[in-house]
Amino acid sequence: MSGAAMARCHGLLEPALREAVSVLHPWGARMAAFALGWSDTDGGPSAGDGGKGVRPAITMLSAEAVGGTAESALPGAVAVELVHAFSLAHDDIIDRDELRRHRAALWKAYGVGPALLTGDALLALAVTQLAGRPEAMPYLSAALIELVQGQTADMAFENRPWRGPDAVTIDEYAEMAAGKTGGLLGAATAAGVALGGAPELADRMWAVGRDLGIAFQIVDDMLGIWGDPRLTGKPVHSDLRRDKKTLPVLAALASGGPAARELAAVLASGTGDEESVRHAAHLVEEAGGRERARALADRYLSSALGVLDACLPDAAELRALCHSLVDRVN
Amino acid sequence: MSGAAMARCHGLLEPALREAVSVLHPWGARMAAFALGWSDTDGGPSAGDGGKGVRPAITMLSAEAVGGTAESALPGAVAVELVHAFSLAHDDIIDRDELRRHRAALWKAYGVGPALLTGDALLALAVTQLAGRPEAMPYLSAALIELVQGQTADMAFENRPWRGPDAVTIDEYAEMAAGKTGGLLGAATAAGVALGGAPELADRMWAVGRDLGIAFQIVDDMLGIWGDPRLTGKPVHSDLRRDKKTLPVLAALASGGPAARELAAVLASGTGDEESVRHAAHLVEEAGGRERARALADRYLSSALGVLDACLPDAAELRALCHSLVDRVN
């Protein structure tokens, strides 16, 4: 994907995002700046990378793809980035994740209560961006519902067994991923075209974003097992260590071969120590979990690109950005 | 206030609220039902009182006061009740309050993560109600911003001293209360008239709700010190025990007499034991904190009613409901 397009979008986004956050109480603004990767806990400039800003770029490129300007989609771009930051702040509390983007998670830096409240503030600012825009607001609110549904399903998966009739199916996984990650990408694409002047394309572009989101989440799961912690900013194998129902593991177990059976036994006896976690990761790969995950991510990406090409045949930059989301290493 | 009007509003609200919540994941719906006071942790009918539903009643009566139907304002009524439930769920996590409406707080019953997520779900459902209604949605989003600002200010007050140049002033208190409680009442009144067919009155009705909210919060503070725990459902003196900057205490300290000086000394040495808490409550009253708080609540109520009468001279039921909010005992 063109780095120039990303840089252009980022250049438009950041001042708008900073203006949105500036209305907050000074203490709230400071925590929001930390959450958005702009500053460290002392308020000084951050050493972190501040996130990649792919969702707002998708919004702006979607607007341009229907003949609108990137500026026309700015309220939507700001909104999706704020919702993304909100969801990270709350997810890290829920999952007790202590690291985010190579530094302390918001709740680790400021405490659970302040982090929770900062998440709420980011969400309130997001909603405010589109409150008077009925052509785009329903997609944002739909994404919020999907987010909590996906997160609830993900949490409920933790109490489900790895094998047997109550095990999580690949279809259930896809539905969870569509909610947790797809909804907001759906809002990014749909709000983009709606604000860019083509609200009649918004429902179909919502579907593009949702499929893209499932692919994105599968890649996230893969990076959680085989990603380089120096690039991802997260501890290696943390999902495996916490028995999270991720796609590569579900796909490996579903393969039914000897490696799958051994993996099931390892998971059943617990992945407490480093050695068993490493062994489990190896078995997931041996049972074909990595390959199947990659294939499924590619299938969802193809589905998204198919609809995108039908809606917007000349959206080269947007298309390239979609591709890069599934080919990323962090 | 007419109990018949409240019962009528409640009869319209509950089915609409249940329908809104029914879209959630079964586990999320169960926690939401607990948060809304409909059921206990096992999913059975609740022994709790489920809240009073004053905010949605205000929304529906506001719509009727401009000649609309209560039904026309239902999306707004559902939205404000959901935002109220969201804010209670999150506030109890932030404040570590273990009791709410005579039973366990949501986070005590289900854990911090699930309670946080349930709050987010309630908020997402609220936003969805008004997403396509640009005449009302901006008031809801403004209320969300006010809520987080007020809550942040309230939290920041905890680190401020009781006396001296850095002490919290009555004006700062009023601003915090306007945010924490006034914003949502502002949204209740403004969305009510906007959905009822008179969007041109919404800005002035927002001001009515905000002043009413300050009065409401002051009464809440008073009930926190002198209320009957059997009626309020909260432990007696909990705000005093936690050094919360409430209006009666701030007003008592500002009176400057001997009781105020003794109160300052008691607060400075800490209100750890039951005896010193009781003594502090007594000194707040002796220093005139209770009387001043009452007078200030009445002043804000008068201000709200003054604007209400100018906007809507024939809104008898709404007027009576506003009155009852400041004369309540729980």
Side-chain angles (χ1 to χ4, degrees), chain B:
Chain B
M1 185 221 30
S2 146
M6 278 297 279
R8 186 166 52 80
C9 290
H10 189 76
L12 284 167
L13 178 74
E14 200 181 307
L17 206 47
R18 285 188 185 268
E19 197 193 322
V21 170
S22 70
V23 306
L24 293 180
H25 184 286
W27 190 34
R30 190 158 159 170
M31 291 189 282
F34 181 86
L36 290 161
W38 297 336
S39 63
D40 281 328
T41 42
D42 60 5
S46 174
D49 63 5
K52 298 177 288 284
V54 290
R55 289 163 192 80
I58 286 177
T59 304
M60 290 187 260
L61 295 180
S62 295
E64 290 185 338
V66 295
T69 61
E71 285 85 350
S72 66
L74 256 182
V78 170
V80 295
E81 186 68 356
L82 288 169
V83 170
H84 179 52
F86 142 79
S87 76
L88 298 183
H90 282 192
D91 286 0
D92 285 346
I93 296 173
I94 292 169
D95 297 339
R96 294 268 146 185
D97 276 329
E98 301 189 355
L99 275 179
R100 166 71 61 187
R101 293 173 184 162
H102 306 277
R103 30 176 225 167
L106 187 66
W107 69 270
K108 254 325 236 191
Y110 292 94
V112 168
L116 188 170
L117 187 58
T118 303
D120 290 345
L122 295 166
L123 180 53
L125 293 173
V127 170
T128 302
Q129 289 289 316
L130 296 177
R133 306 297 297 263
E135 74 278 32
M137 186 67 219
Y139 296 101
L140 190 74
S141 69
L144 295 177
I145 301 279
E146 296 257 352
L147 256 176
V148 295
Q149 302 278 66
Q151 183 69 16
T152 309
D154 200 20
M155 215 190 257
F157 285 177
E158 285 173 24
N159 302 317
R160 303 264 297 271
W162 282 108
R163 303 296 295 265
D166 289 333
V168 177
T169 66
I170 305 274
D171 283 350
E172 285 180 305
Y173 171 92
E175 197 187 325
M176 179 279 293
K180 212 171 92 160
T181 313
L184 192 53
L185 283 171
T189 46
V193 297
L195 295 170
E200 71 282 4
L201 290 178
D203 281 351
R204 291 171 74 198
M205 289 297 284
W206 165 267
V208 170
R210 268 189 115 234
D211 276 351
L212 187 62
I214 301 174
F216 189 92
Q217 183 59 50
I218 294 172
V219 172
D220 227 48
D221 287 358
M222 295 175 68
L223 292 172
I225 301 180
W226 299 287
D228 182 343
R230 287 167 302 176
L231 296 175
T232 62
K234 291 177 206 166
V236 71
H237 294 156
S238 59
D239 286 349
L240 271 177
R241 211 169 277 127
R242 286 185 311 189
D243 270 357
K244 256 198 119 91
K245 305 296 187 298
T246 63
L247 199 271
V249 182
L250 295 174
L253 290 171
S255 72
R261 282 190 294 276
E262 195 181 341
L263 175 62
V266 170
L267 293 172
S269 67
T271 48
D273 60 297
E274 202 45 53
E275 179 50 34
S276 66
V277 170
R278 246 200 307 272
H279 186 48
H282 173 75
L283 288 168
V284 172
E285 186 150 11
E286 200 176 302
R290 186 173 191 164
E291 208 175 318
R292 280 160 166 246
R294 181 80 243 169
L296 198 62
D298 285 339
R299 208 191 307 157
Y300 278 104
L301 175 63
S302 293
S303 163
L305 294 177
V307 180
L308 176 64
D309 290 344
C311 286
L312 299 169
D314 301 318
E317 285 185 328
L318 180 58
R319 201 178 200 283
L321 178 52
C322 293
H323 247 296
S324 73
L325 290 187
V326 183
D327 289 330
R328 69 206 160 92
V329 293
N330 70 349

Side-chain angles (χ1 to χ4, degrees), chain A:
Chain A
M1 183 219 35
S2 147
M6 279 296 281
R8 186 166 52 80
C9 291
H10 189 77
L12 284 166
L13 178 74
E14 199 179 308
L17 206 49
R18 285 188 185 269
E19 196 192 322
V21 170
S22 71
V23 306
L24 293 179
H25 184 286
W27 190 34
R30 191 158 157 168
M31 290 189 284
F34 181 85
L36 290 160
W38 298 335
S39 62
D40 281 328
T41 44
D42 61 3
S46 174
D49 64 5
K52 298 177 287 284
V54 289
R55 289 163 192 78
I58 286 176
T59 304
M60 290 187 261
L61 296 180
S62 295
E64 289 185 339
V66 295
T69 61
E71 286 84 351
S72 67
L74 256 182
V78 170
V80 294
E81 186 68 357
L82 288 169
V83 170
H84 179 54
F86 142 79
S87 75
L88 298 183
H90 282 193
D91 286 358
D92 285 345
I93 296 173
I94 292 169
D95 298 337
R96 294 269 147 185
D97 276 328
E98 300 189 355
L99 274 180
R100 168 70 62 187
R101 291 172 184 162
H102 306 276
R103 29 176 227 167
L106 188 66
W107 69 271
K108 254 323 238 191
Y110 292 95
V112 167
L116 189 169
L117 188 58
T118 302
D120 291 345
L122 295 167
L123 180 53
L125 292 173
V127 170
T128 302
Q129 289 289 317
L130 295 177
R133 305 297 297 264
E135 74 278 31
M137 186 67 219
Y139 296 102
L140 190 74
S141 69
L144 295 177
I145 301 278
E146 297 256 352
L147 255 177
V148 296
Q149 302 279 65
Q151 182 70 17
T152 309
D154 200 20
M155 216 189 256
F157 284 176
E158 286 173 23
N159 302 317
R160 303 264 295 273
W162 281 107
R163 301 297 294 265
D166 289 335
V168 177
T169 66
I170 305 273
D171 283 350
E172 286 180 305
Y173 172 92
E175 197 187 324
M176 177 281 292
K180 212 171 92 160
T181 313
L184 191 53
L185 283 171
T189 45
V193 295
L195 295 169
E200 71 282 2
L201 290 179
D203 281 352
R204 290 172 74 197
M205 288 297 283
W206 165 266
V208 170
R210 268 190 115 232
D211 277 350
L212 187 62
I214 300 174
F216 189 91
Q217 183 59 50
I218 294 171
V219 173
D220 228 47
D221 286 358
M222 295 174 68
L223 291 172
I225 301 179
W226 299 287
D228 182 343
R230 286 167 303 176
L231 296 174
T232 63
K234 292 176 204 166
V236 72
H237 294 156
S238 59
D239 287 349
L240 271 178
R241 210 170 278 127
R242 286 185 312 188
D243 270 356
K244 257 197 120 86
K245 305 297 187 296
T246 62
L247 199 272
V249 183
L250 295 174
L253 289 171
S255 72
R261 282 191 294 275
E262 193 181 343
L263 175 62
V266 170
L267 293 170
S269 67
T271 47
D273 60 297
E274 201 47 53
E275 179 50 33
S276 66
V277 170
R278 243 198 310 271
H279 186 48
H282 173 75
L283 289 168
V284 172
E285 187 152 8
E286 200 175 302
R290 186 174 192 166
E291 207 176 318
R292 281 160 165 247
R294 182 79 242 170
L296 199 61
D298 286 339
R299 206 191 308 158
Y300 278 105
L301 174 64
S302 292
S303 163
L305 293 178
V307 181
L308 175 64
D309 290 343
C311 285
L312 299 169
D314 301 318
E317 284 185 328
L318 180 58
R319 201 178 198 286
L321 178 52
C322 292
H323 247 296
S324 74
L325 291 185
V326 183
D327 289 329
R328 69 206 161 91
V329 293
N330 69 350

